[in-house]
């Protein structure tokens, strides 16, 4: 028999507990165990007025932001709607059923003000990294670095070519916030000071973004999200936003390594990266810091005509000379100069040459220098560090490092596909950092929650 129709009737009193309605295996229960925001009020104390109407609890705003980044809710307007409807979100944000959700505009107001002034988002990220270190997920011995392009909030139709772009015509007083941030970062290495190359197009609304393209893909405006991770469990130990140019990405590596050294006393034994980080100055900087560069060397000394390249010659550091496969020496100087100005300078490129009569009588001349009277070899300023990297590449540890480097690629894939950070919503260098930092914080918290899930409690009968 069909039962009677049920109609919703409003009750005067309800006996309801959020705690009983959140599943024991819900991700937010595990995440909540590793979210410690007790220090936020002290960190923001100097940025609030002592008089006036009480403001919204900053801990509530941060908890809502963490929910948004952990579950890929990109819109703050939609985040407020989801927090209003979802019981688990209310439980995590310490909201009762009758508590009102803050307006979405509150996030922008605080972000552009006290959050940026106090660097709260970086403080929150570093707090999470410290928790990962305390839980034993970070040893600091092996680290990997890489960058990924994140599409900027900019349109090709609202941009100018490098011939049309004139920075002197910008009215600073009337310019948008993103443009003013761009002008403030012109002298920073992370946003183009390390490179003299002018971008093909510059966005009017987001000029700090870089017009670039991925491999075999269309060009677009983007920022680079730079990650420095510990390879033990793939924990992000530092993050930096830069312009999408190689010089800026490589420069950010030095910034991040110095920062984790000062903040957490982490000094890795090896750094793992791809070929983009294999320049001579970068390798030399790592070797001087006693960090083993597990990085492919950028080397253009190879030959395509089948003749011997520089790699076929043995370097004799004690005598400052190269030894060819036939056992002959290629020297930079063959006499002692009494005038120090005529001797070697130790800077730039050094040239080494064999004797002409030796090369002419050599049986392997056609394999070595068929079109020259004598063989010449150049040696760059940082060639010693490059030799260190070449020697490391022949070891078994390097093969292990090549596999470990995939962990940072997996983090970027998770960032874009699961957390939905394929395109930025905020503009300018500060906007990029304001999105990259909470996203990395969410990844670390999810990592903690996955490795140390919340203990399961039996359900009440």
């Amino acid at each position: 028999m069909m039962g009677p129709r049920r109609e919703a009737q409003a009750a005067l009193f309800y006996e309801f507990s959020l705690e009983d309605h959140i599943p024991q295996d819900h991700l937010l229960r595990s995440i909540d165990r590793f979210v410690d925001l007790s220090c936020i009020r002290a960190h923001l104390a100097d940025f609030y007025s002592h008089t006036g109407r009480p403001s919204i609890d900053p801990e509530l705003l941060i908890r809502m932001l963490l929910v948004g980044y952990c579950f890929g809710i990109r819109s703050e307007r939609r985040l407020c709607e989801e927090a209003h409807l979802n019981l688990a979100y209310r439980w995590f944000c310490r909201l009762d059923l009758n508590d009102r959700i803050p307006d979405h505009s509150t996030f922008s107001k605080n972000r552009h003000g006290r959050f940026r002034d106090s660097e709260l988002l970086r403080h929150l990220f570093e707090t999470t990294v410290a928790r990962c270190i305390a839980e034993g997920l970070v040893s600091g011995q092996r680290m990997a670095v890489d960058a990924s392009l994140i599409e900027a909030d900019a349109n090709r139709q609202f941009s100018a070519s490098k011939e049309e772009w004139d920075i002197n015509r910008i009215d600073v007083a009337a310019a948008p916030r993103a443009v003013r941030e761009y002008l403030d970062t012109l002298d920073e290495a992370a946003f183009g000071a390390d490179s003299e190359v002018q971008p093909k197009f510059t966005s009017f609304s987001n000029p700090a973004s870089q017009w670039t393209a991925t491999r075999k893909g269309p060009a677009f405006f983007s920022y680079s999200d730079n990650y420095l991770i510990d390879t033990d469990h793939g924990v992000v130990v530092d993050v930096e936003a830069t312009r999408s140019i190689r010089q800026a990405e490589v420069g950010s590596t030095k910034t991040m390594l110095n920062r984790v050294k000062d903040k957490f006393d982490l000094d890795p034994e090896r750094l793992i990266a791809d070929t983009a980080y294999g320049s001579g100055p970068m390798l030399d900087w790592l070797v001087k810091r006693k960090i083993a560069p597990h990085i492919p060397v950028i080397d253009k000394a190879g030959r395509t005509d089948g003749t011997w390249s520089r790699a076929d010659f043995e370097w004799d550091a004690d005598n400052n000379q190269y030894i060819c496969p036939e056992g002959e020496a290629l020297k930079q100087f063959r006499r002692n100069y009494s005038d120090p100005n005529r001797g070697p300078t130790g800077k730039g490129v050094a040239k080494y040459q064999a004797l002409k009569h030796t090369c002419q009588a050599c049986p392997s001349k056609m394999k070595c220098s068929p079109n020259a009277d004598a063989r010449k070899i150049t040696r760059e300023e940082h060639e010693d560090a490059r030799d260190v990297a070449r020697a490391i590449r022949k070891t078994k540890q390097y093969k292990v490092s090549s596999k470990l480097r995939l962990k940072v690629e997996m983090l970027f894939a998770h960032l874009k596909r699961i957390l939905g950070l394929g395109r930025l919503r905020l503009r300018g260098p500060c906007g990029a950092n304001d999105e990259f930092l909470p996203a990395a914080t969410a990844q670390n918290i999810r990592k903690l929650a996955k490795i140390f899930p919340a203990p399961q409690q039996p359900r009440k009968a």
Side-chain angles (χ1 to χ4, degrees), residues 267-306:
D267 203 5
E269 296 177 358
R270 72 179 71 168
L271 181 70
I272 308 169
D274 57 23
T275 312
Y277 300 82
S279 62
M282 183 64 198
L283 296 174
D284 183 68
W285 186 85
L286 291 172
V287 171
K288 288 180 178 178
R289 281 197 54 169
K290 298 181 179 180
I291 300 176
H294 287 235
I295 305 172
V297 179
I298 300 176
D299 194 351
K300 299 181 180 180
R303 293 189 170 187
T304 58
D305 57 359

Side-chain angles (χ1 to χ4, degrees), residues 15 36 44 83 121 123 126 134 152 159 181 230 240 249 288 355 379 386 390 398 400 427 461:
E15 183 178 351
D36 183 13
L44 293 175
L121 297 179
H123 172 74
E126 292 176 346
S159 64
E181 292 178 5
D230 185 272
E240 184 78 6
E249 295 171 356
K288 288 180 178 178
L355 294 173
R379 184 176 179 85
R386 290 153 64 95
R390 292 189 185 102
Y398 183 86
V400 176
R427 296 177 177 177

Side-chain angles (χ1 to χ4, degrees), residues 157-425:
Q157 304 301 324
F158 194 56
S159 64
S161 63
K162 59 183 178 181
E163 292 81 10
E164 300 171 344
W165 176 260
D166 186 4
I167 192 174
N168 297 320
R169 294 188 299 176
I170 298 178
D171 185 1
V172 179
R177 179 183 290 106
V179 178
R180 297 199 300 270
E181 292 178 5
Y182 161 73
L183 297 175
D184 293 338
T185 57
L186 282 176
D187 295 331
E188 295 184 9
F191 289 94
D194 275 352
S195 175
E196 298 179 355
V197 178
Q198 296 297 321
K200 185 176 181 180
F201 296 103
T202 302
S203 171
F204 289 118
S205 59
N206 201 350
S209 60
Q210 178 75 20
W211 178 258
T212 187
T214 56
R215 183 178 300 176
K216 297 182 181 179
F220 56 93
F221 287 105
S222 70
Y223 287 94
S224 285
D225 189 6
N226 298 270
Y227 271 8
L228 179 67
I229 73 166
D230 185 272
T231 59
D232 288 355
H233 292 87
V235 174
V236 184
V237 294
D238 206 355
V239 57
E240 184 78 6
T242 64
R243 206 164 187 172
S244 299
I245 51 179
R246 187 182 64 84
Q247 293 85 348
E249 295 171 356
V250 173
S252 70
T253 304
K254 301 178 182 180
T255 301
M256 293 188 291
L257 285 172
N258 289 331
R259 194 153 49 201
V260 297
K261 172 64 176 177
D262 297 338
K263 187 67 180 181
F264 306 110
D265 195 24
L266 296 177
D267 203 5
E269 296 177 358
R270 72 179 71 168
L271 181 70
I272 308 169
D274 57 23
T275 312
Y277 300 82
S279 62
M282 183 64 198
L283 296 174
D284 183 68
W285 186 85
L286 291 172
V287 171
K288 288 180 178 178
R289 281 197 54 169
K290 298 181 179 180
I291 300 176
H294 287 235
I295 305 172
V297 179
I298 300 176
D299 194 351
K300 299 181 180 180
R303 293 189 170 187
T304 58
D305 57 359
T307 57
W308 288 338
S309 64
R310 185 173 57 188
D312 297 314
F313 290 73
E314 182 183 353
W315 169 245
D316 182 4
D318 295 335
N319 297 313
N320 188 29
Q321 64 183 7
Y322 276 98
I323 305 298
C324 78
E326 294 291 343
E328 299 295 336
L330 286 77
K331 296 185 178 182
Q332 184 181 11
F333 300 99
R334 296 184 179 274
R335 66 180 68 179
N336 295 324
Y337 291 101
S338 58
D339 185 359
N341 294 327
R342 299 182 63 189
T345 61
K347 298 180 180 180
V349 178
K351 296 182 180 180
Y352 295 82
Q353 183 174 347
L355 294 173
K356 180 179 177 179
H357 65 84
T358 303
C359 286
Q360 294 294 334
C362 180
S364 301
K365 186 178 187 305
M366 297 307 296
K367 295 181 180 180
C368 181
S369 55
N371 301 321
D373 295 335
R375 180 60 189 265
K376 299 178 182 178
I377 291 180
T378 59
R379 184 176 179 85
E380 285 75 11
E381 180 182 357
H382 306 292
E383 197 65 23
D384 292 339
R386 290 153 64 95
D387 287 340
V388 172
R390 292 189 185 102
I392 291 175
R393 192 170 186 177
K394 300 176 182 178
T395 62
K396 294 182 179 179
Q397 291 82 1
Y398 183 86
K399 296 180 179 179
V400 176
S401 299
S402 299
K403 297 179 180 179
L404 293 176
R405 191 176 64 83
L406 298 178
K407 290 189 175 184
V408 67
E409 300 286 354
M410 294 170 61
L411 283 171
F412 286 133
H414 178 269
L415 179 72
K416 296 179 180 180
R417 295 182 179 273
I418 306 302
L419 303 189
L421 191 60
R423 178 186 172 93
L424 297 174
R425 294 185 305 104

Side-chain angles (χ1 to χ4, degrees), residues 16-27:
F16 187 89
S17 173
L18 278 176
E19 183 69 29
D20 297 338
H21 285 75
I22 310 303
Q24 294 295 323
D25 58 350
H26 198 283
L27 178 61

